Amino acid sequence: MASQFEARHSGQQPRRADTENQAREDLAMEIKAKTPITDTVTQLTLVRADGRDLPDWTPGSHIDVVLGPDMVRQYSLCGEPSDRRSWQVSVLYQPDGRGGSTRLHHELREGESITVRGPRNNFHLVDAPRYLFIAGGIGITPFLPMITSVDRAGAEWSLIYGGRSRRNMAFADDLKQAHHDRVTLVPADIHGRIDLARILADVTPETAVYVCGPESLLCAVEAMAAEFDNIGEIHLERFTPKTPTDAPVLDEFEVEFVRSGITVSVGSDQSILDVARAAGIPAPFSCSEGTCGTCETNIVSGLADHRDSVLSPAEQEENSTLMICISRAACPKITLDL
């Protein structure tokens, strides 16, 4: 899945940037297989070119796929986490998109080489007695390993899976055959849209609710969840960045990169990532729009003006990390661990 990420994490400790995952080197991979799943979804099986084992990963993880000098796309890993020999990603063909799905569907062939970074996880599967998964379209992909994990653990769970039509809902038949009544399929051409109000009204406070799909679905769940007192945590994974509704707090500010010993000014037309790279400071990045989490950086001091689509409101309030590609400072000077 080409995706951008927002997740709300459990746990009481302040969030810290996952520098170990960020530092992982590029992996030279080979496309072992391309398998049509539906008319518009193709699954790619990737293996390491050197034949070595792949890094481990957990349900909810994604990888960066380098498709060109200025074309990096994020896709959810949807295979078996215990498989260290191959990774699977499923890609929706979007003819009016930014070109990544066209390249993967129609240009790259089995046996060709490709560069991959990661994996990283901004959509962690938390411990809970029961789970509700709500998927829209290609948003089903991160839920495949999650469902496998919670089902093996014996937890209660259910999946509501919507799509435009049954024939284009990837993995729908396999999920229904394997899990029967735990899976509810809602093809829009037959049943209309998912009845979120009815579904969310029945959620218990101890249920972990996970949602992935188009922005309209995520916004609808967020709006409805705010009206119910019975809902605890909502975990979201976004495809596209949220549009900021307010102007930046400051047009200009200073940033100190404490490990590099460099202090520079950030102008209104610059990002923190821009000035870091101009100063020769190595800073990992990928999407440059605050959605993939690659550039997440620890805050040493100062207050962030968060503009990203990764951190939950509670995590932003913690002021422990920020995405330097898009977030700014809400104070004259901010100090970062770079």
Side-chain angles (χ1 to χ4, degrees), residues 212-230:
C212 184
E215 186 67 11
S216 58
L217 173 65
L218 304 186
C219 290
V221 171
E222 286 183 308
M224 291 184 186
E227 300 178 3
F228 292 100
D229 295 330
N230 57 306

Side-chain angles (χ1 to χ4, degrees), residues 58-268:
T58 54
S61 294
H62 72 277
I63 56 175
D64 298 340
V65 180
V66 181
L67 298 171
D70 298 310
M71 185 183 290
V72 181
R73 300 291 184 266
Q74 291 76 41
Y75 299 99
S76 295
L77 290 170
C78 59
E80 170 58 58
S82 64
D83 181 4
R84 301 292 299 277
R85 306 301 297 176
S86 65
W87 283 342
Q88 284 78 41
V89 296
S90 294
V91 182
L92 172 67
Y93 176 51
Q94 297 174 298
D96 298 325
R98 297 178 297 161
S101 66
T102 297
R103 179 149 172 71
L104 285 170
H105 271 252
H106 299 304
E107 297 176 12
L108 293 175
R109 301 286 182 259
E110 291 182 3
E112 288 196 48
S113 299
I114 197 167
T115 299
V116 167
R117 299 169 185 153
R120 290 189 308 279
N121 196 338
N122 297 323
F123 199 38
H124 295 278
L125 183 63
V126 301
D127 290 331
R130 61 179 55 88
Y131 300 83
L132 170 62
F133 302 104
I134 303 175
I138 197 62
I140 190 62
T141 52
F143 293 152
L144 299 177
M146 288 187 178
I147 287 171
T148 298
S149 178
V150 300
D151 195 61
R152 286 174 179 169
E156 295 183 30
W157 64 272
S158 60
L159 167 68
I160 312 297
Y161 180 12
R164 292 183 179 179
S165 64
R166 176 70 177 263
R167 68 190 298 267
N168 285 319
M169 293 171 64
F171 308 104
D173 292 338
D174 292 341
L175 286 164
K176 193 67 176 177
Q177 184 176 359
H179 303 294
H180 309 293
D181 292 343
R182 291 192 176 193
V183 175
T184 300
L185 303 178
V186 189
D189 59 345
I190 299 174
H191 300 296
R193 294 184 177 182
I194 298 172
D195 188 349
L196 293 174
R198 178 186 61 79
I199 294 166
L200 294 176
D202 294 333
V203 171
T204 58
E206 64 270 20
T207 300
V209 181
Y210 282 77
V211 191
C212 184
E215 186 67 11
S216 58
L217 173 65
L218 304 186
C219 290
V221 171
E222 286 183 308
M224 291 184 186
E227 300 178 3
F228 292 100
D229 295 330
N230 57 306
I231 298 176
E233 267 193 309
I234 300 287
H235 307 257
L236 305 176
E237 183 169 59
R238 281 192 140 85
F239 292 126
T240 56
K242 294 184 292 185
T243 301
T245 57
D246 54 348
V249 175
L250 295 175
D251 289 335
E252 298 182 357
F253 57 92
E254 284 191 336
V255 57
E256 177 184 357
F257 301 109
V258 66
R259 278 195 281 139
S260 302
I262 296 173
T263 300
V264 293
S265 295
V266 181
S268 60

